[in-house]
Amino acid sequence: MESNTMKQLVKAGITTVVNDLGASIFNYALSLKLLQVTGSAMGYGTSLIIGPVVGLFVAPWVGNTVDSYQRKHVALIAEGVLILTLIMYFFVFELFHTNILISAIIVVCLNNITARFFTISYLSSTPQIVTSEHIQKLNSIESTAATVSSILAPAIAGFLFGIMDFKWMIVLQIITETLTLILTIATHFDSNPIDKTKKKIQNLNIFKSLNKYPMVLFFLIVTMCLNITSTALVIGMPYVVIHILKYSTTISGNIEGVYSVGALIGGIIITMINLKSTFGFIRSMYWATSTQLLILGLMLFTLPKISITS
């Protein structure tokens, strides 16, 4: 029994790494390709903008579908559709080279929809993949795998983009998605009925808590504003590094990977310290983040000029 559980944990961990790494490398490489062709930071941010928008519209549909059918079947169908989409994109990529932005938007939309189906159906099946005693361990493995992937993907994508044609980046994701499909087939899912009544009550309590605790609502609004500025930074940084500072895509990828390293270090620190006031700590972090973004913005007005003229 213990041996079977360990196999399930290993397969789930490898599935998360392969899936996240492949998707992240492709998305970053596609963004770099759009930046190269359009010369616009807006082109680079296409996938970052489309992802949340698509997710917002399909979230109710995805949730209902996952709850209505066997989750393993939903995950396998989503992966199959994603692989077919990528194969078609590989063959028609050259045909749409002059309209690469339009074809990229279509592919990103389809990728996000199918990826959301797979991710939600797979992650929500945690109690079906392992026993209740190992759920926390599986969640930890999946979270660590996702973090490691987010650290490695930008650096790998930046390096590969500089040495190979973008079409081979499409092939790379087809390979990683095929491996994900095989690993998902090999992973055992047990049937587990869903208590839909409990889920409805849970969702209802979330909305009630926003009215009951105005401080929570305030932090949500502040977080949304900071996310907007952070997204602007993520979109603008490669444009500054590649087009203004004239550095390589590898350097841009390494800088992108540092973001995730910072997130990993922050997560480790949070787990090690004992917070006396959680809201006080969050408030301090918001002020620190806002100050850092302000300083970075002011520096960008002078540093590019210094680098170019030196």
Side-chain angles (χ1 to χ4, degrees):
M1 182 67 179
E2 188 66 28
S3 174
N4 182 58
T5 301
M6 286 304 299
K7 289 180 181 178
Q8 290 284 91
L9 289 172
V10 170
K11 283 186 285 189
I14 295 175
T15 301
T16 305
V17 170
V18 172
N19 184 256
D20 286 354
L21 192 61
S24 298
I25 289 175
F26 175 77
N27 288 334
Y28 189 78
L30 178 59
S31 297
L32 289 175
K33 183 65 177 179
L34 292 175
L35 178 61
Q36 181 187 66
V37 173
T38 65
S40 168
M42 187 64 184
Y44 173 84
T46 298
S47 60
L48 294 175
I49 296 170
I50 292 177
V53 173
V54 171
L56 180 64
F57 282 104
V58 304
W61 178 40
V62 173
N64 290 333
T65 303
V66 170
D67 287 344
S68 301
Y69 300 96
Q70 290 189 20
R71 295 176 181 180
K72 184 173 183 178
H73 292 168
V74 174
L76 292 176
I77 293 172
E79 273 300 294
V81 172
L82 176 55
I83 292 171
L84 289 176
T85 301
L86 291 169
I87 292 174
M88 291 176 59
Y89 187 51
F90 175 79
F91 286 111
V92 304
F93 176 74
E94 294 295 341
L95 299 177
F96 289 95
H97 194 69
T98 54
N99 296 313
I100 187 172
L101 185 58
I102 296 175
S103 62
I105 290 174
I106 295 173
V107 170
V108 169
C109 286
L110 293 174
N111 275 10
N112 274 278
I113 293 173
T114 54
R116 194 165 293 270
F117 268 106
F118 176 81
T119 302
I120 292 178
S121 57
Y122 193 92
L123 293 181
S124 62
S125 300
T126 298
Q128 300 173 339
I129 296 175
V130 295
T131 58
S132 57
E133 294 81 8
H134 295 86
I135 289 178
Q136 184 59 45
K137 183 177 291 186
L138 177 55
N139 288 336
S140 177
I141 291 173
E142 290 175 337
S143 177
T144 302
T147 302
V148 171
S149 298
S150 64
I151 293 172
L152 297 177
I156 295 174
F159 172 75
L160 293 179
F161 186 81
I163 64 172
M164 67 172 59
D165 188 79
F166 176 72
K167 286 190 67 175
W168 296 109
M169 308 295 284
I170 304 175
V171 173
L172 178 61
Q173 198 194 2
I174 292 173
I175 293 172
T176 57
E177 297 299 344
T178 303
L179 289 174
T180 300
L181 181 66
I182 295 171
L183 288 167
T184 304
I185 294 173
T187 303
H188 183 64
F189 286 62
D190 293 322
S191 59
N192 185 27
I194 300 168
D195 189 349
K196 296 181 180 180
T197 305
K198 183 177 180 182
K199 185 175 180 181
K200 289 179 182 178
I201 294 174
Q202 215 172 21
N203 291 339
L204 192 62
N205 289 337
I206 293 173
F207 290 105
K208 284 184 176 179
S209 65
L210 293 179
N211 294 325
K212 189 175 180 180
Y213 302 103
M215 185 62 72
V216 175
L217 180 60
F218 169 76
F219 279 130
L220 285 175
I221 294 173
V222 173
T223 302
M224 181 179 67
C225 295
L226 285 179
N227 281 338
I228 291 174
T229 55
S230 298
T231 301
L233 176 63
V234 171
I235 293 174
M237 183 277 296
Y239 179 83
V240 172
V241 172
I242 296 173
H243 278 275
I244 297 181
L245 298 180
K246 307 301 181 182
Y247 288 122
S248 67
T249 57
T250 303
I251 298 297
S252 177
N254 291 336
I255 295 174
E256 193 80 20
V258 171
Y259 293 157
S260 300
V261 173
L264 178 62
I265 294 174
I268 294 173
I269 293 174
I270 291 296
T271 57
M272 294 176 60
I273 63 177
N274 185 21
L275 299 177
K276 294 181 179 179
S277 173
T278 303
F279 278 144
F281 177 79
I282 295 174
R283 189 185 299 112
S284 300
M285 290 299 99
Y286 283 161
W287 279 111
T289 303
S290 301
T291 303
Q292 291 169 5
L293 289 173
L294 177 62
I295 294 173
L296 178 60
L298 294 174
M299 290 173 63
L300 289 176
F301 279 104
T302 57
L303 289 182
K305 297 177 183 178
I306 296 174
S307 301
I308 292 172
T309 55
S310 59

